Structure formats: structure tokens, C-alpha cells
Amino acid sequence: MSASLRLVHPPEAPDSARWDAVARRDAAADGTFWSCVKTTGVYCLPSCAGRPKRENVVFVETRAEAEAAGFRPCKRCRPDRFVMGALQDRISEIDWARAHAALKADGWARLGRLLSDGECAALIAAYEEDALYRSRVVMRRHGFGEGEYRYFADPAPEIVSALRTKLYDRLAPLANEWAQALKQDRAYPRDHVAYRKVCAKAGQKRPTPLILKYGPGDYNRLHQDLYGGEVFPIQVAILLSEPGRDFEGGEFVMTEQTPRRQSRAMVAPLEKGSAIAFAVNERPMEGARGTYRVKMRHGVSEVRSAARYCLGVIFHDAS
Ligand SMILES: [Fe+2]
Ligand SMILES: [Zn+2]
């Protein structure tokens, strides 16, 4: 299997330096190369807790090389789940043409993995830090379901505000396309700073990014996240917990109501750290006799065990 592997020896990182990093389990080297273990047929992050022998290890520069040579991702360090680069780069690497096409066809799109395990863990831990939030909502009190959520105060933690501003940049062109198709006489500004000013003018000044926490038996009724007349038509949710391990059930559910039709239900498969974008409320749908107005709702089915955390990024602010 290793015969097809190309050994890489860039001057800045000879294999001896790479092996040193593996021996030290150096997390700083994660993502810069991958070690393939010939005896087990798996490939690993340099920081993996496994202890392969030097003679059994070959290094490659990309995951694609490791997989092409027949190596499987290590179950221990999960190199397949490693998130590369700065948030900005991860957002740039999303296939936005495909995401926009899916949003237009179905009202939602998978954006892939945006947050690393460490970032998910940090956001879950931050749920208990009172100073980060402007308010807490116990869903039962409002008839929203069971569970609770907290809205971040301004300024939101760096990673949350970065997600909000950078995802906005990519979604605003589609929001404008939808506004035009729905014959709404408006334009969404190019960047989120300008858009927050539009929200403030409409009396919506309070930030809406939030973390939702569901325990056993909790769920979220189908709803739309509307906080006044000013609405950005697309929002993003990022799952912070691992399905099947941290919780069971808790599926992200959407319904789509088309004129003169029964509702269509859709379930978005989500992995830990992965994101979906979906329509907040109305979206245009091209039909045989012109453009239809389709209404979307979303919710979460019952969580059957342990805890499910989710980060919600809504682009309009609340009154
Ligand atoms: Fe929601
Ligand atoms: Zn490993």
C-alpha cells in the first residue's frame, strides 16, 4: 500500500523534524502533515496518542494522499475531522455555488464542517459563563418546547462574531436575489456592519446569535426566528455536540409550505462542528406559472439522551 505513497521532503520540514513532532505529540503540527502507519493501515494527526514505530510511518502532505494510498482515518485522533486553517479560510473553502444552488432548490444547504472539536468544546463550556450573554430563555415558559437557550451579549466572542460577519458576506448576494424574486423593494448591504445599522434603524438593536442546550426529553417546536419587521432571509446553525455519542435523537427538522400543497418535511443530517444554512421564513421557488412564495419552519425533534448543544447564527438583530 505504501508503494504508491509519495514521500515528501520539503526543506523546511524534513521527515526527521516530522518524526520529532510525532514523538512529542505536537498539536501545533496538526494539519501541516499526516502520518500513515503501514502496519495498521490508518493515518493520524501528529498529536495522536498512538505510538507507532518509526519504521512503520510514512508522512504525506494531504489527507487526500493518505486516502488515495488506501489509509483509513485513525479512530483515536480522527484526522478526518481536523479543521484546517483560520475560520476565514474554512468559509472561503465552502463550495458557495453549490450551497446557493441547494438553498434555491430546497431552502437549505449543508456547509460542511466549520468548527473543530476544540472550538465546539470551548463554546459548550462557554454556555455557563453568565457574563457572555444578554438573556436566557427557558423554552417551556413561552411554549417554544423544552430546553433553553442564551443570546450572546455584544460583543459576542470572537469566533461567533467572525462567523456572523463572514457568513453574511457569502449569503447577502443570495438574500438580494430572493428579495428581487419576491418583489421586495429592498437591498441587503454588502457587509454585516452596515446591515446591523439597517436593523438598528428598524428598532432591532439586540444581538441574536445564541447557543441552544437540549437535555433528555427536550425539543424545539417548529418556528421561525423573527424579531420584528427586519428579516435577513437565511440563517445558519452549527451543531456543537456529537450525534450518537453526546446525544441520541435531536434531529434538525424543517418544513416547507408551498401554496395549495401539504407541507414537506426535511431532516438535515448534521455532524459535530458542521453547519447548515436555511431559510428563516419565506423563500422564492420557481414554478411552471412563475415564482411561488414558500414558507419554511424549523425545529428539533426530541433529544433522547444526554445533551445536544447548537450554535445559532441569525443575521438580523432583535428589538
Ligand atoms: Fe430557530
Ligand atoms: Zn491517530
Side-chain angles (χ1 to χ4, degrees), residues 32 36 78 109 147 180 252 267 306 317:
T32 62
C36 303
R78 296 303 302 255
Q180 211 168 25
F252 189 87
V267 174
D317 284 333

Side-chain angles (χ1 to χ4, degrees), residues 210 212 214 220-221 223-225 227 235 252 278 298-299 314:
L210 74 168
L212 305 98
Y214 303 90
N220 196 345
R221 291 183 196 279
H223 67 278
Q224 296 160 324
D225 293 294
Y227 303 92
Q235 69 187 74
F252 189 87
F278 55 98
H298 64 275
I314 297 158

